[in-house]
Amino acid sequence: MDKTERRILNILKRRGGQRLSLQEIQRRFTTGRERKAVLKQLARLVSRGKVTKDADGKFSITSAKKRLVGRFEPTNERFGFVIPVSPETNDIYVPAQRWGGAIDGDIVEVAFTKRRGGRTTGQIVRIVKRTRHELAGKVLKRREGMFLVPLSAKVFHEVVVVNNEAGPVEDGLVVNAVIDKIDDRLNRINVSIVEVWGKPDDPEVLCRIVIARFNIPTVFSDEALDEARRVPRTITESDLRGRTDLRSLVTFTIDGEQAKDFDDAVSIERRDGGFRLWVHIADVSH
């Protein structure tokens, strides 16, 4: 093992599991040449699994604790839980100081220990997948700057607007913002406003907040589009088998102006001094 590697491991071991930044480690070396070598040797130690690099770029000795992958769900500003992918494993309690830069919904790797007779406690050591890159929220203007009150996620950081690409925005309006930086040390998230949605009591805005909160896709996947393209545009004899062909009737829907799912329609015809009303229901299984 390289002499620099041994020194790095000793430095991290003496810190008793405390995480150190690259600069904090480099300061313990005297010459510029040694400090320059630290970054290269740290990368080697991380690749061999001897040192862990956390989501915020800090380093620590790789723990002998068990690890697993799950979805992070903060409960309040003090703690949250990692919900394991495997349903056989209990949720893992994670105090706020061990969130490792994770926010609501992120897929994370957590190192954990199970206390005898107590709950399983862990520390997030890696963001496997960042599931949320934007935040919708209500603008809050203060003397010291512009802030965002998140509406689309359980976020307990202070959300600071550092850039506004959407033009003038009034206090109290709902906007959508891109996440620029998450700083656990300052308990702060920096965002840039990219779109103004409108007033918080507007039904359309409420709908967009729900879509953002649950990361509901707003565009069809390539697979879905390919399947739609393969659907025949003509009705065949086999399609009509066991059905009555009523295409000669004038048929209309009664859905709202913005409806996307036309699943029923009506027709009416004059018969024997009266009228017959037809109600057509979509065969969604066809």
Side-chain angles (χ1 to χ4, degrees):
M1 181 183 291
D2 181 270
K3 182 173 70 173
T4 304
E5 289 186 5
R6 283 198 298 270
R7 284 191 63 186
I8 291 172
L9 290 174
N10 287 333
I11 290 168
L12 293 174
K13 286 176 182 176
R14 286 199 299 269
R15 303 299 291 187
Q18 181 182 350
R19 301 176 305 140
L20 296 177
S21 67
L22 172 63
Q23 292 74 21
E24 288 171 324
I25 297 172
Q26 286 177 324
R27 280 200 292 268
R28 287 160 172 80
F29 290 80
T30 53
T31 69
R33 185 176 180 179
E34 287 177 326
R35 290 174 180 170
K36 192 173 181 180
V38 167
L39 180 59
K40 182 178 179 181
Q41 300 305 332
L42 272 172
R44 287 182 178 178
L45 289 168
V46 170
S47 67
R48 297 208 302 268
K50 292 184 175 294
V51 169
T52 297
K53 183 179 181 181
D54 292 345
D56 57 359
K58 291 190 175 183
F59 300 89
S60 60
I61 288 289
T62 299
S63 170
K65 298 176 180 178
K66 296 179 180 178
R67 297 190 178 201
L68 57 75
V69 172
R71 185 183 73 257
F72 177 58
E73 291 187 4
T75 302
N76 53 40
E77 69 277 4
R78 301 187 308 278
F79 65 89
F81 291 88
V82 172
I83 316 301
V85 173
S86 171
E88 293 82 21
T89 308
N90 292 330
D91 298 347
I92 297 171
Y93 172 86
V94 184
Q97 64 270 26
R98 297 181 181 177
W99 287 358
I103 60 173
D104 185 26
D106 282 347
I107 305 301
V108 301
E109 182 179 8
V110 59
F112 64 96
T113 54
K114 190 170 185 179
R115 298 177 183 173
R116 184 176 299 176
R119 62 188 168 198
T120 303
T121 303
Q123 174 176 342
I124 294 172
V125 296
R126 183 167 65 96
I127 309 294
V128 176
K129 181 181 179 183
R130 182 77 76 187
T131 60
R132 195 176 299 281
H133 301 281
E134 299 178 343
L135 281 177
K138 190 162 58 174
V139 170
L140 178 63
K141 290 186 176 181
R142 297 177 184 165
R143 186 167 53 186
E144 59 269 31
M146 189 184 299
F147 300 84
L148 207 63
V149 180
L151 298 174
S152 62
K154 290 186 288 184
V155 173
F156 301 101
H157 296 69
E158 181 180 56
V159 182
V160 182
V161 177
V162 295
N163 188 28
N164 179 12
E165 301 173 7
V169 56
E170 298 176 16
D171 188 45
L173 289 183
V174 176
V175 300
N176 193 39
V178 173
I179 297 173
D180 295 321
K181 182 181 179 182
I182 299 173
D183 191 330
D184 274 348
R185 185 175 56 86
L186 297 176
N187 192 38
R188 169 174 166 168
I189 297 177
N190 292 346
V191 300
S192 295
I193 295 175
V194 293
E195 187 179 8
V196 178
W197 284 359
K199 295 182 179 180
D201 57 352
D202 184 318
E204 186 174 341
V205 172
L206 291 172
C207 182
R208 296 183 75 172
I209 291 171
V210 172
I211 289 172
R213 171 71 181 88
F214 295 100
N215 277 325
I216 300 172
T218 56
V219 295
F220 290 108
S221 66
D222 291 339
E223 293 79 8
L225 292 173
D226 287 341
E227 184 177 350
R229 293 187 190 101
R230 292 195 297 270
V231 174
R233 293 183 176 272
T234 57
I235 297 174
T236 65
E237 290 297 324
S238 62
D239 291 326
L240 293 174
R241 195 171 297 129
R243 303 173 187 271
T244 302
D245 189 349
L246 298 174
R247 284 178 290 173
S248 60
L249 296 177
V250 176
T251 304
F252 55 93
T253 67
I254 54 174
D255 294 278
E257 183 180 355
Q258 296 183 346
K260 300 291 189 296
D261 186 13
F262 300 101
D263 56 2
D264 66 316
V266 294
S267 303
I268 191 167
E269 61 176 341
R270 191 186 298 274
R271 279 200 174 188
D272 302 327
F275 295 90
R276 172 175 287 184
L277 175 68
W278 298 83
V279 180
H280 311 277
I281 306 298
D283 182 0
V284 295
S285 65
H286 180 62

